[in-house]
Amino acid sequence: MALVLTEEQQLLQETVRDFVREKAPVKHLRQLRDTNDKVGFSRDLWKEMADLGWAGIILPEEHGGSGLGYAELGILLEECGRTLVPEPFLSTVVLGAELIQKGASEAQQKEILGGIAEGRTVLALAHQEQGRYSPYAVSTRAEAAGDGFQLSGKKTFVLDGHVADSLIVVARTSGAAGDRDGLTLFLVPAESAGVSITRTVMVDSRNSAVVELSNVAVSRDQVLGDVGAGADLLDPALDRATVALSAQLLGVLTEAFERTVEYLKTRIQFDVPIGSFQALKHRAAVMFCEVELSKSIVMDALAAIDEGRENASQLVSAAKARTSDTAGLVTREAVQMFGGIGMTDEEEIGFFLKRARAAELTLGDGSFHRDRFAQLNGY
Amino acid sequence: MALVLTEEQQLLQETVRDFVREKAPVKHLRQLRDTNDKVGFSRDLWKEMADLGWAGIILPEEHGGSGLGYAELGILLEECGRTLVPEPFLSTVVLGAELIQKGASEAQQKEILGGIAEGRTVLALAHQEQGRYSPYAVSTRAEAAGDGFQLSGKKTFVLDGHVADSLIVVARTSGAAGDRDGLTLFLVPAESAGVSITRTVMVDSRNSAVVELSNVAVSRDQVLGDVGAGADLLDPALDRATVALSAQLLGVLTEAFERTVEYLKTRIQFDVPIGSFQALKHRAAVMFCEVELSKSIVMDALAAIDEGRENASQLVSAAKARTSDTAGLVTREAVQMFGGIGMTDEEEIGFFLKRARAAELTLGDGSFHRDRFAQLNGY
Amino acid sequence: MSATTDLDEFRSEVRTWLEENLPETLRGRAWPSGSDLALWRQRMGDRGFACPTWPAEYGGGGLDAAHTRVLQQEMARVGAPPSVRGFGVSMLGPVLLEFANDAQKREHLPGIIYGRVNWCQGYSEPGAGSDLASLQTRAVREGDEYVINGQKIWTSGATEADWMFCLVRTDPRAPKHDGISFILFDLKSPGVEVRPIRLISGASSFCEVFFKDVHAKASNLIGVENAGWTIAKRLLQHERTMLSGGMGGGTAPGRAAAGRAAQRRNGFADMAKKYLGDADGRIADPVLRDQLAQLELDGLCYRLTTLRSAASAKAGQGPGHTASMFKLYASEMNKRRQELTMSVLGSQGLGWEGEAFDAFERGTTRQWLRSKGNSIEGGTSEVQLNVIAKRVLGLPD
Amino acid sequence: MSATTDLDEFRSEVRTWLEENLPETLRGRAWPSGSDLALWRQRMGDRGFACPTWPAEYGGGGLDAAHTRVLQQEMARVGAPPSVRGFGVSMLGPVLLEFANDAQKREHLPGIIYGRVNWCQGYSEPGAGSDLASLQTRAVREGDEYVINGQKIWTSGATEADWMFCLVRTDPRAPKHDGISFILFDLKSPGVEVRPIRLISGASSFCEVFFKDVHAKASNLIGVENAGWTIAKRLLQHERTMLSGGMGGGTAPGRAAAGRAAQRRNGFADMAKKYLGDADGRIADPVLRDQLAQLELDGLCYRLTTLRSAASAKAGQGPGHTASMFKLYASEMNKRRQELTMSVLGSQGLGWEGEAFDAFERGTTRQWLRSKGNSIEGGTSEVQLNVIAKRVLGLPD
């Protein structure tokens, strides 16, 4: 069931918590934002994290990884969520590592996975083409050309796209937008001719890019998995990224909730702490229940991935829907309860509101995952 | 705009209010229920109401009516809603009167409308065939037979069906369930051969019946409106019945809200009135807003019918959606705030909960009318 | 001998015992009755399996959590029903074990263990709902008896009950929490009148109980006179746990509950398809479908949370304040479920009696109404929210 | 002469006057500026049309509600913008008319009428938000001046303002509501420091304003010393009315607002179809479509309620407590609208700057964040709920 942490896991949790509170508090993100940092995260800090084994946490030891599971990855990301750590976990540690492990040749694996584990290599998945998340709505074409293919199309919301060494591009070798069949994944160095990457400045001050592909020539070697069967590779990787993001969101919402409860105890109005007002108490208690439920489903969905349970996808969708919606509820209530000060950029709670909304809209929001949950449950 | 009552309308409101509080309080409905009254309302009381001009309120004076509009009908029904008056307004005064006026021959009108205005004649619309409201989902067949037709099918939720002198049956002369075209309305005496009517005992203790039609022979004279174009007759009548029901619901929800506020002021727990608890205060204030909004849309939708405004259907759907949902909110909160006593049959508030749910599911619930509102607004 | 070996041995012992002692007619019957039930009660009581965790000296099994779990697993395996249930075993018993004196335990526990005495709970009064401590039922000491006058309400099962455990005011001048006592008496005593309560959902097992000069033996007062409030609160915790359902006894019953819930869920989706239509395998109404998915998803998260709570709690610990969360969430969720069912059924959910509605439809109407009481009985949702805010979150008064 | 004839004559008089006096460049411009605006302000002020309901002796138009409505209709007809707006005309002016002495009115009203003086509001403080009366900014009488020390926050437009109307504590020992005064002073006075506030949505017109030994003339204290709380409350009512938007002045502006809202609505549906797809004329996502319909329906009911309220209120009556309802509902509704827009846009709603997002998309992000302040500024939603519960429903403290 894995609904309680083992002693080793508790130790990991404490280690991560202490590290990020000291080295990557919310101030870290604020500073990157205010200095218009070109990278959008700290390469030095990323190296330090890699040295702690975090960049390769789910990679096998032969590739320099820690060989741990999603339960541990979840603990790591939950703690990173608490301080809004912007380093490239989702793009590289989860999506990149998973797709390369499952889809690349041994030589490619050897080269790239080591780089990931050492914090040298950053990858990005170039997938989404429109605002609303819809995994098979891919129009980017991969036309056969000589021995290889030519890629053309436009990708948006490519997480960490502007600093990635290579992109994993989802393109269509057959079929039409919306079809599950006919997708193919390509490993494309960012420097390739015809690739144009523009960083986009996002509300949550994190990294994202628009990628334009104009007749980008790729060889057969650059195909990950099988031609036309990219969805078989993509689906489980997206599930894993989704549960990882849910764990991060769990950290975001838990921290926002705890900060709000603390504020309710200390902010004085009408000569009493505002947390003594029953209406606010009840709203806080309602949030508490939602936070607890979020924690449970995230832990179980992580365990389901590790155990390879048949219903893992359902649990993942439940986790993303629940954490997305709870994070929205908690951060909106947080800003309201902080009052005017919560509206200022100076106060950190607003960063949580922004991150919660961005993460909600990443990899499918509550509505998307309820639909998927219903479908997987046969209605 | 007609968002305030004229002096005449205020007078009508007071007259109705005084009458129903004295002669038809909630006790009236309770007594009918507890005695398993075969009729389900009081014929004597209905005669008295008719003498006051209520049964023919929207009928022209030539047919013995009062010649008033929907604004006045709305006032009447709102007050009747406050005490859950079970007399046959919706079936006879609105649906029956409208359909006969618009669809029957002059001779039929003369005969039937006078009977309605005098409180002698009760009509019922036999329309719905399934639990969820869907106006064109009619499978009952009207097969051509000799000079006339033969009707076969089964109707549910026929309001006042078991005491109606005649049924207005919606049947299909062509097309398939769901089509707007091909519906035809027939005026069928309840005593006709092949008509079998079974009263159903409903949660809100009001009248409803299942009607089975087995090769019921009807003549051309019994057709209301044009063959195959029944929807042209039905649609405006349903709009009118829907806004009338919304007005009734407005009364139900307003009364339930006012009783709840009163209870909050008088029920003592922890040595103070429970209405002094901020959480309950806030919930009461939220309800107040919803009640006020409900009142505004009902008044405007009634006026839109009277004025023949182009967007009347949109306003009617808005009114039904809003009053259905507000009545649900208010009556659920009412029972919760009344606490244990609200769960007993002895306390009257439960009657409001039951009526609110039944009225919500009559002529389309909030979800149905939001869908219709969106469609009529072009999205 | 290792712990595992010990448990394995116990398991085979239980298995054999069940094979020999479970009356065949009771197998798989959730609510057994008749003479075989009497036999089953006798055997389970004698063997100490009726109340396995209670001390052996009072007729319990004296088992620890691990052995109890084995017993429950083996009983579930062969479909053996519990021999006793109700207020006695789940609420009064634990309280007697904690607060009663030796003579009282010896007098009352066997009646519970062998299912000989039906208990009911005399707590709420018309003026004392959420503010239970404002109760007014008076008990005046006269010699070695108390004389009781007043009224209780919401007494579940009073028409069937033999005895009542009851909160009474023994000192009307003390602050309200300091003048309450916890006393037991025979419901057949002269002066007791029981009247069933009709609910908005129809007949119910709830009653009003009136006391006119009812005499109760002073030796049946539990704990110290005027210190009954402590006992009352502990008993409410047990009640909350019972009402939130299935999160009490470790993971095994939790899993079983999850299985039942899953079955119920599929039933809901099928029912929704039947009433709303099926569009390519989906419920045809997308808005209600979204609401159902939200409800099921919440139910899943809720059940996982009860399992997580049980896994976190060390065996033998009493229910913590999370009981408030479970009580709150479970009752609000059931209300949502019933509302959603009504929306799905449309006018077919409005039937009260008669053949025009099938049994499921008629049941729906009643259950919808009955569910409104979930967030009132056993501590209102507002009380649970207060408890969470204060005890769990530490928000100030 | 009948009332109607009188109004008709006035209408033609206004029409002629507007034809002759409205600078062509200002026609249809909502936010005019430049030298023609100066001319327009002079003419409107001279004619008494800038503040038509204010008494003529102080430079107002002295018009009743019916004539004012005619003036507004005629101005709307030719697209004439108001010549003055802001805190002076909508908040301070009415309060001066009610509470100031003759000399104060003569000194300050013309500056408002001719748009010569920009006013800002010194109310909130870091420790005094919802509990405004706990404000700490001190004003000490020294001769014919007050010396002010302290800090204000959320002062809108302070960087542009000339003068401030300000709540100060003049008696720190009195109960908190009884030691407050309402005073006016020049923001260019020595000792005033203005710092703009950066919001979560970016730059804003809000400021913090610090006072260090700022000298204000005692003759600019409005009303009686220590009795400023009454004025403060009245002014908050005017603020609430202003923030809830469009329900103040009878049906004409209400209708115009309804028209604008309808336009915005269709825009929303079209936008939703663009981002979510169009399925047979419907927004392709049925769940979001349902939410949009609910929002629009609520908006419709809300606008009708403002019209009903205006129709019920007799002309000339001040805003009643329904202002709380409108403030509450309008701000909560706008928050919902912004949330829904974000859901529709998906990741295209997450842009902050740059060309990858069009102007609408970037605006969406900022407006979503900015809307979170709607339910905080001008009295939080919680304060409005308290007011409704107490003043409208009469629930006890």
Side-chain angles (χ1 to χ4, degrees), chain C residues 83-84 87 129 142 180 200 206 330 366:
Chain C
S83 61
V84 288
F87 290 108
E142 289 186 8
I180 293 171
I200 56 175
F206 291 113
R366 307 287 183 129

Side-chain angles (χ1 to χ4, degrees), chain C residues 22-35:
Chain C
L22 173 63
E24 199 52 38
T25 59
L26 265 48
R27 202 180 277 267
R29 288 191 47 202
W31 297 95
S33 60
S35 63

Side-chain angles (χ1 to χ4, degrees), chain A residues 282 296 322 370-371 378, chain C residues 273 289-290 298 305 308 386:
Chain A
H282 280 199
S296 307
R322 160 60 62 180
R370 274 194 301 281
D371 175 74
Chain C
K273 284 183 188 171
R289 174 174 175 268
D290 181 65
D298 288 344
T305 306
R308 183 162 67 85
N386 286 342

Side-chain angles (χ1 to χ4, degrees), chain C residues 181-244:
Chain C
S181 299
F182 187 94
I183 196 166
L184 321 177
F185 54 85
D186 189 335
L187 216 54
K188 308 285 182 297
S189 307
V192 175
E193 189 197 346
V194 175
R195 290 186 209 154
I197 295 174
R198 188 179 165 81
L199 291 184
I200 56 175
S201 48
S204 81
S205 70
F206 291 113
C207 301
E208 291 179 290
V209 185
F210 298 85
F211 311 118
K212 197 174 170 192
D213 293 332
V214 174
H215 289 250
K217 276 199 282 184
S219 62
N220 275 323
L221 186 136
I222 307 298
V224 179
E225 187 181 82
N226 296 327
W229 186 243
T230 309
I231 306 178
K233 280 191 298 183
R234 178 58 54 93
L235 197 136
L236 287 177
Q237 286 185 336
H238 291 293
E239 182 184 28
R240 221 167 276 157
T241 304
M242 200 176 74
L243 288 172
S244 65

Side-chain angles (χ1 to χ4, degrees), chain C residues 31 51 54 84-96 108-109 111-113 117-123 153-165 182 184 205-207 235-236 238-240 242-243 370 377-378:
Chain C
W31 297 95
C51 299
W54 297 6
V84 288
R85 14 178 149 222
F87 290 108
V89 63
S90 58
M91 290 169 65
L92 179 61
V95 155
L96 290 181
H108 295 293
L109 292 176
I112 297 172
I113 289 167
V117 179
N118 269 321
W119 287 89
C120 67
Q121 178 189 28
Y123 265 47
I153 192 170
W154 304 119
T155 311
S156 189
T159 49
E160 314 293 321
D162 304 301
W163 277 64
M164 171 181 275
F165 51 91
F182 187 94
L184 321 177
S205 70
F206 291 113
C207 301
L235 197 136
L236 287 177
H238 291 293
E239 182 184 28
R240 221 167 276 157
M242 200 176 74
L243 288 172
R370 183 61 187 80
E377 59 207 329

